[in-house]
Amino acid sequence: VNNTSRTLIVTFFVFFLLFTGLAGAATSPESTCKEKHIIFGFFNGVKTHPAQAWSSLLELRKIHGDYNLRGEKIKYRTFYNSTLGFADFVETFEQRAEEQNGVLKGRYELFFDAINGGGGSWWSSILKVLPNQQAVLEAMPSAQAIAAQLLAAQKTNTELNYSFHKDTIDAAVKTGTKLLFVAHSQGNLFANAAYKYAITAITKNGIKQSFGDVYFSPESMIRMVHIAPASIETHGPVILADKDLVINGLRLLGGGVPSITDVIGGYFLRPAGINGERDFLGHGLLEIYINQKMPIANSVKSAIDSELNSLNPPPCGMEFLFQATITCDFVKYPYGQYSKTRHLLRAGYHHDVFGQIIVNIRAVGGLDDDAHFQVISGVPKSLTVTSDTMKPFPWHRRDAWVKYDFEKKSVTASFKYGKFFTDGYGIACTQTEPVLVWARSVEEVERTDYSSGSLITW
Amino acid sequence: LLALEESKAIPKLERGNTISGVDSDSNGLRDDVERYISENYPIKAQKAAATQAARAIQKVLLITDLTDSALVHAASEKEAQGIQCIYSVFDGSADSMQPAQVVQELVSVTTNTKPRLLAYLAYSKALDGTSMELSEGDTCE
């Protein structure tokens, strides 16, 4: 290819890139942006094993459905916390089972029901023929003992220390996804910390308080519902039963808790919960608070529905700031050998390179699966190209289209350049420090595939 | 208690020393749990759902390295999908138990010895601080 032909080709590509780049930039994010979904985050209570947490979440989904009244999709998610000293309860069970003539010794299938007071059918059958085994149940953790645990948890869980919870919240905040935290018992301690973290993250990450003429309050996109809260700190409606012996115990121990909101029947008047068990402590989520046979479940449902329907999304086109790292790949060029890290070029020549440079932006932390961003600012105006002769070659960003990579859990931005030259032996693109990138959420990202000229839509 | 077991008022379970228990057909499910499922959830779809969930619960007991978060996460996802399947099959109607009750029964019969119960609680501890989303669509295998 002689110089004239090469110049023509390059000129064609420069115009092609200019045209397609402008066409992409002309797409208004505001016009394509639609409201994001809602994350329904469930923070489980004390003595909740993983399967119970999933069960609770699925029960909540049965009650509240997959869409709110606005037709916004609700995605259900656990924010799991385990119970400190759960294994100690096993020792208690074992000791007391041995003490009672050892009749129930080794029957650990009775354990989970026992820690709720043994209201299930297996225990009922056993107590009918062996009433003295009631002593095993009575040895299980009392309301006071659990309250003491919650009091200790109150003092130690004032900040969010769970990195997975933080990542999930970060991803939601960055995408403008609305959050509803529903917390039960001990889960309120973690949910409170998560709530404050999220509010701070929004502010820290620079959601603008006003967008055009629209005022936006971060609190309107994150709501909480507190069920049997083990803390006086609340950020939303509270539902607390009068005969919740655990929370009453916590109150007696000096742990601050909110006021009672609902009256429930005595133990013998309560219908079994949806797990077939009755909690004599009056504290269980499945047995009491979302037991659809008990009126208190209506209070919980109303509170959650109300919050689900009043969450406000950030305005369309809301801008978010996220930290990103940038690396560069040179995908093809006319001369030299391809290398991920070093791009050897023939010495002493000028090289025309067009449509070959991909700059990857990776968000620090994950992003939501259906997040699309258009980078709008914050990317360095120029990156440094170094050559073996150490002659810098700056080039300028024309546009950046960003895509979430499902497998890599990262954001990739493709930067396209019409052309650049180098006369070194090799070139490398360097940008080692993370940068803060402004991005705008859009429903759909269109990008031009410069190598084929076809339009690709993610 | 033996009479209660015979009348099926309480479960009749194997109580060996191993966490894996006796699985003579090597299908990932203890024989006694398989029998319990057949006796208590005889409808075909219910039996299949319970089997899927029980197998997933059994699998979390056998996680070799609970510090491997990817391993724990993957096992938990399977457990969740099994439980989700139960919720899609059991609806609490006249010929169906409440799904929450089925889940609790399956966890209880699977963790019926001290080592098995402690293994499940260790798994619970390994999940502390995690966050996972319900799967979309049909999770039944």
Side-chain angles (χ1 to χ4, degrees):
Chain A
V1 181
N2 61 34
N3 282 343
T4 306
S5 300
R6 191 184 300 161
T7 302
L8 281 172
I9 292 170
V10 168
T11 304
F12 166 77
F13 265 91
V14 168
F15 277 101
F16 174 75
L17 292 166
L18 270 172
F19 173 76
T20 51
L22 287 172
T27 305
S28 164
E30 287 81 357
S31 66
T32 56
C33 182
K34 68 177 181 182
E35 290 186 357
K36 300 291 179 185
H37 62 262
I38 298 167
I39 289 180
F40 185 121
F42 171 61
F43 292 73
N44 61 277
V46 71
K47 299 186 299 165
T48 305
H49 60 63
Q52 270 175 332
W54 285 114
S55 261
S56 301
L57 189 65
L58 284 156
E59 291 293 342
L60 288 164
R61 183 185 177 187
K62 263 170 66 178
I63 295 165
H64 301 284
D66 287 333
Y67 296 90
N68 68 359
L69 287 180
R70 293 177 182 165
E72 296 162 332
K73 173 78 174 166
I74 304 169
K75 293 186 175 180
Y76 291 82
R77 177 175 273 278
T78 57
F79 284 78
Y80 186 72
N81 65 87
S82 68
T83 296
L84 200 64
F86 218 153
D88 296 340
F89 298 161
V90 180
E91 300 299 327
T92 306
F93 177 82
E94 182 181 37
Q95 286 167 12
R96 188 48 68 97
E98 279 195 33
E99 286 166 13
Q100 295 303 311
N101 306 323
V103 175
L104 299 180
K105 185 181 175 186
R107 291 182 182 268
Y108 288 88
E109 66 272 21
L110 301 171
F111 172 77
F112 285 118
D113 191 3
I115 59 175
N116 283 334
S121 66
W122 297 343
W123 269 104
S124 299
S125 300
I126 290 168
L127 293 177
K128 275 179 193 167
V129 294
L130 297 165
N132 62 330
Q133 297 303 313
Q134 179 72 33
V136 177
L137 294 177
E138 287 166 1
M140 295 313 288
S142 64
Q144 288 288 327
I146 298 167
Q149 273 194 329
L150 293 179
L151 186 64
Q154 266 190 355
K155 292 174 180 169
T156 54
N157 292 295
T158 53
E159 288 184 16
L160 184 61
N161 294 317
Y162 288 150
S163 60
F164 285 111
H165 290 191
K166 282 182 180 175
D167 288 348
T168 304
I169 292 166
D170 283 343
V173 166
K174 286 165 191 165
T175 57
T177 303
K178 291 162 284 187
L179 290 162
L180 174 65
F181 293 158
V182 175
H184 171 238
S185 179
Q186 171 179 279
N188 283 275
L189 305 173
F190 299 99
N192 280 339
Y195 178 86
K196 287 182 286 190
Y197 177 82
I199 293 291
T200 307
I202 289 173
T203 309
K204 187 171 64 184
N205 284 333
I207 282 189
K208 293 178 178 176
Q209 296 294 301
S210 63
F211 186 76
D213 294 332
V214 181
Y215 175 77
F216 176 69
S217 161
E219 285 81 359
S220 68
M221 72 181 264
I222 303 175
R223 295 289 177 87
M224 274 194 75
V225 174
H226 303 268
I227 303 171
S231 167
I232 190 71
E233 178 187 331
T234 58
H235 302 280
V238 172
I239 299 93
L240 177 60
D242 65 329
K243 296 182 185 65
D244 187 324
L245 302 183
V246 171
I247 301 303
N248 287 344
L250 185 55
R251 185 184 288 111
L252 288 173
L253 289 174
V257 292
S259 301
I260 287 162
T261 62
D262 289 69
V263 175
I264 60 172
Y267 177 64
F268 293 106
L269 298 173
R270 293 178 205 152
I274 37 190
N275 56 353
E277 296 178 7
R278 293 187 303 154
D279 181 10
F280 77 99
L281 299 174
H283 184 65
L285 183 76
L286 298 176
E287 299 86 353
I288 306 291
Y289 287 94
I290 61 170
N291 180 349
Q292 299 303 301
K293 295 172 188 165
M294 294 180 67
I296 196 170
N298 293 331
S299 301
V300 174
K301 183 178 187 308
S302 297
I304 292 175
D305 281 344
S306 172
E307 297 304 311
L308 278 173
N309 292 320
S310 60
L311 279 162
N312 288 318
C316 272
M318 182 59 80
E319 296 164 8
F320 300 91
L321 192 63
F322 62 89
Q323 196 178 42
T325 55
I326 291 181
T327 56
C328 306
D329 280 343
F330 295 76
V331 293
K332 67 176 181 180
Y333 44 87
Y335 304 108
Q337 292 176 314
Y338 174 74
S339 162
K340 280 278 183 187
T341 54
R342 177 60 77 187
H343 307 274
L344 299 174
L345 298 176
R346 189 181 297 177
Y349 286 78
H350 281 74
H351 298 278
D352 303 332
V353 185
F354 38 86
Q356 300 97 331
I357 301 170
I358 302 293
V359 179
N360 298 311
I361 295 180
R362 290 200 158 189
V364 176
L367 282 180
D368 199 5
D369 282 357
D370 59 3
H372 292 302
F373 286 92
Q374 182 188 17
V375 170
I376 51 177
S377 65
V379 176
K381 293 292 183 191
S382 64
L383 299 175
T384 303
V385 178
T386 57
S387 71
D388 283 355
T389 52
M390 300 305 289
K391 291 177 183 175
F393 276 80
W395 75 83
H396 294 278
R397 181 175 69 93
R398 190 182 304 280
D399 60 26
W401 293 101
V402 180
K403 176 197 173 191
Y404 181 67
D405 186 310
F406 286 84
E407 288 184 359
K408 294 177 183 173
K409 298 287 183 191
S410 66
V411 171
T412 303
S414 301
F415 289 72
K416 304 298 179 185
Y417 299 92
K419 174 184 176 184
F420 76 92
F421 301 96
T422 179
D423 61 355
Y425 288 96
I427 57 171
C429 171
T430 57
Q431 175 68 42
T432 54
E433 295 299 317
V435 296
L436 288 171
V437 176
W438 279 97
R440 177 181 290 143
S441 59
V442 293
E443 179 190 353
E444 193 172 75
V445 175
E446 285 187 346
R447 145 187 187 216
T448 301
D449 180 346
Y450 292 92
S451 59
S452 66
S454 61
L455 202 63
I456 296 174
T457 300
W458 281 289
Chain B
L1 290 183
L2 292 177
L4 289 176
E5 283 183 351
E6 289 308 316
S7 69
K8 299 186 175 44
I10 61 173
K12 185 177 183 179
L13 301 169
E14 173 261 310
R15 302 180 192 282
N17 293 325
T18 64
I19 290 177
S20 56
V22 180
D23 176 13
S24 55
D25 56 0
S26 303
N27 67 349
L29 197 58
R30 281 183 3 226
D31 295 348
D32 57 329
V33 174
E34 204 167 348
R35 189 175 60 247
Y36 179 84
I37 288 171
S38 295
E39 289 172 354
N40 289 278
Y41 322 118
I43 297 172
K44 189 179 175 185
Q46 294 178 351
K47 183 180 172 184
T51 299
Q52 179 185 334
R55 192 176 282 136
I57 295 166
Q58 170 74 3
K59 202 167 182 178
V60 304
L61 304 187
L62 300 169
I63 296 174
T64 49
D65 182 5
L66 286 170
T67 63
D68 185 337
S69 59
L71 205 62
V72 173
H73 191 276
S76 181
E77 205 164 62
K78 282 283 180 193
E79 183 188 29
Q81 287 169 357
I83 293 169
Q84 238 180 298
C85 178
I86 283 181
Y87 269 77
S88 70
V89 172
F90 291 84
D91 60 6
S93 61
D95 60 347
S96 166
M97 292 170 64
Q98 288 287 351
Q101 189 174 351
V102 176
V103 171
Q104 186 52 65
E105 285 182 3
L106 293 175
V107 171
S108 292
V109 296
T110 306
T111 59
N112 70 316
T113 67
K114 189 174 180 183
R116 291 167 191 165
L117 179 55
L118 291 178
Y120 194 68
L121 295 181
Y123 158 71
S124 162
K125 197 172 177 184
L127 278 180
D128 187 37
T130 55
S131 177
M132 291 174 66
E133 189 174 299
L134 284 181
S135 300
E136 294 288 330
D138 183 8
T139 62
C140 295
E141 291 170 351

